[in-house]
Amino acid sequence: MQITNSILMVRPVRFRMNEETAVNNYFQEDLDIKNQTINLRAQVEFDDFVTALRAKGVEVIVVDDIFERDTPDSIFPNNWISFHENGIVGLYPMFAENRRRERREDILDILEEKGFQIEGVMDYTSAENEELFLEGTGSIVMDRENQKAYCALSPRADENLFIEFCEDMECTPVIFTAYQSVDGNRMPIYHTNVMMSIAESFAVICLDSIDNKKERKNVIDHLKNDGKEIIAISEIQEQHFAGNMLQVIGNDDKRYLVMSSAAYHSLTEDQCKAIYKHCEIIHSPLDTIETCGGGSARCMMAEIFLPRVSVLS
């Protein structure tokens, strides 16, 4: 199954621009306002986003961040944890030291209380000791139905670690490097999921960011061979987080593509028509989160694919 109805989200309590991630997340910008104000704005955006998802029937499990841990990027849980249909939970090595404090065992307890079954944990976090990183479904974009995983290599996505993940999950690795222009230089994009999103029957991707022609062709071939309609976005649209999208299931098994309002408004009429052929769109304003956090809608949602048993009342 490629998409799910159940999403984990972490409500921020100390959200701000993270100085430790800004060194290679070129989407981040510093706002000249107090951190407390930034966090309050982020909380409003977060709550409105959750409301928009729930209104369409998406199950959103919200966990509050812990103030004492001082984790400015906790709003992006998909980087440190992933949940799989075989009951396995993935834990991932994080580039920024203060992001490692986001990992919480109590979240697994919360999910089990809600009837999700956890059979085991794949823990890659020891790679941090060797300064090797692979930041969950930020670094890895999964095509679960076709047992493939896409990864744009960067300081936060180590090739050997990614291959190890693919061997563990028994999926085919599709490896490339994606770039963005920063002060006239081509720099690796920090996370794969800001330049591509794979849905059930289509993929939204910034092909222009893959400078190597062979790598670009390889990615296109994999997507086409798996029957995905390719909806190409520009680098400018990518800067508006138009690659940072996630398809989910709502009420009555209805499909939705979730994105920020900035991403939505960057799309052309033809691109919107192409998406609407497959599903409807949910969008919500995430301006503060995008500006200070350098991540958007998809980064905020950790999909839950774990098997589930009914909870007795």
Side-chain angles (χ1 to χ4, degrees), residues 92-303:
Y92 299 94
M94 306 293 291
F95 172 83
E97 288 188 19
N98 64 5
R99 293 213 64 189
R100 299 169 196 176
R101 298 196 295 270
E102 295 173 28
R103 297 192 287 256
R104 294 167 50 184
E105 284 188 23
D106 66 305
I107 286 179
L108 302 186
D109 297 333
I110 290 167
L111 294 180
E112 286 185 316
E113 286 169 9
K114 293 186 177 294
F116 292 102
Q117 292 179 283
I118 296 172
E119 302 294 338
V121 175
M122 289 191 309
D123 189 344
Y124 301 101
T125 60
S126 62
E128 289 167 352
N129 300 325
E130 303 172 59
E131 296 293 306
L132 301 176
F133 312 106
L134 186 69
E135 297 194 334
T137 53
S139 298
I140 305 163
V141 173
M142 301 287 296
D143 182 348
R144 291 172 176 83
E145 289 183 329
N146 294 294
Q147 291 184 281
K148 290 181 182 177
Y150 293 74
C151 182
L153 301 180
S154 76
R156 305 202 203 176
D158 178 76
E159 182 171 6
N160 291 329
L161 206 51
F162 173 60
I163 291 171
E164 181 183 340
F165 166 87
C166 290
E167 289 172 350
D168 291 340
M169 294 301 295
E170 297 181 348
C171 59
T172 301
V174 182
I175 300 169
F176 57 97
T177 304
Y179 297 90
Q180 65 186 117
S181 294
V182 181
D183 298 328
N185 298 312
R186 295 293 276 170
M187 304 295 290
I189 289 175
Y190 79 109
H191 278 162
T192 314
N193 75 0
V194 296
M195 54 77 61
M196 75 179 297
S197 171
I198 297 179
E200 285 181 313
S201 53
F202 65 98
V204 177
I205 180 170
C206 181
L207 294 170
D208 292 344
S209 68
I210 308 175
D211 291 354
N212 184 291
K213 291 181 181 178
K214 286 184 179 178
E215 290 182 352
R216 188 189 315 144
K217 183 179 184 304
N218 185 48
V219 170
I220 292 170
D221 288 346
H222 275 284
L223 293 171
K224 284 186 173 177
N225 290 340
D226 294 328
K228 306 288 187 189
E229 179 183 354
I230 296 175
I231 301 172
I233 57 172
S234 68
E235 290 193 29
I236 292 174
Q237 290 173 317
E238 174 195 84
Q239 289 291 327
H240 288 88
F241 294 98
N244 198 240
M245 303 172 171
L246 183 69
Q247 192 181 34
V248 298
I249 303 172
N251 283 331
D252 302 320
D253 215 32
K254 200 165 185 178
R255 271 58 175 160
Y256 296 93
L257 188 64
V258 184
M259 65 190 74
S260 72
S261 294
Y264 175 74
H265 292 302
S266 78
L267 297 174
T268 66
E269 186 178 345
D270 285 344
Q271 289 167 330
C272 285
K273 282 181 181 177
I275 292 168
Y276 277 117
K277 281 192 306 183
H278 301 273
C279 63
E280 292 190 17
I281 291 173
I282 300 173
H283 69 88
S284 191
L286 300 172
D287 299 348
T288 305
I289 293 167
E290 289 176 329
T291 302
C292 293
S296 188
R298 193 276 169 268
C299 302
M300 296 168 66
M301 298 180 285
E303 311 137 279

Side-chain angles (χ1 to χ4, degrees), residues 10-18 28 31 34-43 45 65 67 70-76 286-295 300:
V10 177
R11 191 173 191 269
V13 295
R14 298 183 79 169
F15 179 81
R16 63 181 186 274
M17 178 176 173
N18 186 349
Q28 287 176 250
L31 287 181
K34 291 182 178 178
N35 287 337
Q36 187 177 11
T37 303
I38 290 172
N39 184 69
L40 288 172
R41 288 186 186 177
Q43 285 180 330
E45 292 175 2
D65 189 17
F67 184 86
D70 189 19
T71 46
D73 281 333
S74 62
I75 199 170
F76 306 130
L286 300 172
D287 299 348
T288 305
I289 293 167
E290 289 176 329
T291 302
C292 293
M300 296 168 66

